Amino acid sequence: MDFLRWLFDAQITIGDNQSLLVREVLGNIFGLLSALGGMRRKVWAWPVGIIGNLLLLTVFLGTLFGTTYGTSNLLGQAGRQIMFIAVSIWGWYRWNQTRHSDSTQAAVIPQWASWKERFFMVAFMLIGTGVLTPIFRALGSYEPVWSDAWIFAGSLLATYGMAKGWVEFWLVWVAVDIVGVPLLWSAGYYASAFMYIFYGAFTLIGFFVWWRTRNQEAARVQVETAFPDPTVDVR
């Protein structure tokens, strides 16, 4: 109990008037570790990410928890932590299924989304942002509310894309980060804004890593098709 009380109240002082919640810093560190695990296609990326989501949920609903950190509640940021947890449980289950079906295989094989799926991704981002913006505004989210809605819709789509193994999901994260940095900075969530800058660079690296892995898998399949194993009876 003492640890939880310390975790809830602890802050890191920066300069004379600025401070960061330890919960926000730890939540973003867990998020970064989850992204690293996702890039390496490790199943543990999902539970690690869930821990970070729980920590950040308490941060972005700070006034509801009786804290004065930050200038406002970010309902989109808070809501996406709940969404992350729900989708992460599904992604965790999906990757575990793949891993258990073939212990020699990675949890997911990267693949390019089809053109139909890409159209779905773009439409989901635009329509989702348009639908969520008036809802978040009515609930009193921080302005500009469309930014919060964009981040929520993009985060949901990117997490779903990661579970599906789409290479393009990394680019969705880049789109989220571009909008997220100025929003979080203006709202006073400096640790998260800084981490979004780092995430932006990291997600670009992740995109090229998955792209290369996809090419390697495609080349391996071509070789196995051209030179099948003579010891395997396919009759």
Side-chain angles (χ1 to χ4, degrees), residues 31-197:
L32 178 60
L33 290 174
S34 178
L36 177 62
M39 185 173 68
R40 299 177 61 196
R41 298 175 290 152
K42 300 296 185 180
V43 175
W44 56 257
W46 296 105
V48 168
I50 290 174
I51 296 174
N53 300 147
L54 290 171
L55 289 169
L56 291 176
L57 176 63
T58 68
V59 172
F60 293 121
L61 290 180
T63 59
L64 297 183
F65 285 88
T67 61
T68 59
Y69 180 77
T71 59
S72 179
N73 290 327
L74 286 177
L75 300 182
Q77 290 287 330
R80 80 178 190 138
Q81 306 307 320
I82 299 174
M83 173 274 297
F84 274 150
I85 294 172
V87 179
S88 294
I89 292 173
W90 174 70
W92 189 359
Y93 171 77
R94 181 182 174 89
W95 282 25
N96 257 323
Q97 274 191 318
T98 304
R99 193 72 179 89
H100 289 159
S101 64
D102 185 353
S103 60
T104 64
Q105 181 176 301
V108 66
I109 302 299
Q111 59 183 326
W112 293 108
S114 67
W115 282 106
K116 182 179 179 180
E117 290 166 337
R118 290 173 181 174
F119 176 80
F120 160 77
M121 294 168 72
V122 173
F124 185 91
M125 287 289 291
L126 296 177
I127 296 174
T129 300
V131 170
L132 290 172
T133 295
I135 296 175
F136 286 173
R137 179 171 288 116
L139 292 173
S141 191
Y142 188 76
E143 293 285 352
V145 180
W146 73 265
S147 299
D148 210 11
W150 173 270
I151 292 170
F152 184 94
S155 300
L156 175 57
L157 179 61
T159 307
Y160 176 78
M162 176 177 168
K164 294 285 287 185
W166 293 339
V167 178
E168 291 90 342
F169 94 87
W170 292 103
L171 298 181
V172 178
W173 277 129
V174 173
V176 168
D177 295 335
I178 290 173
V179 173
V181 171
L183 175 67
L184 290 168
W185 189 268
S186 65
Y189 295 100
Y190 304 115
S192 293
F194 176 79
M195 287 302 297
Y196 266 46
I197 296 174

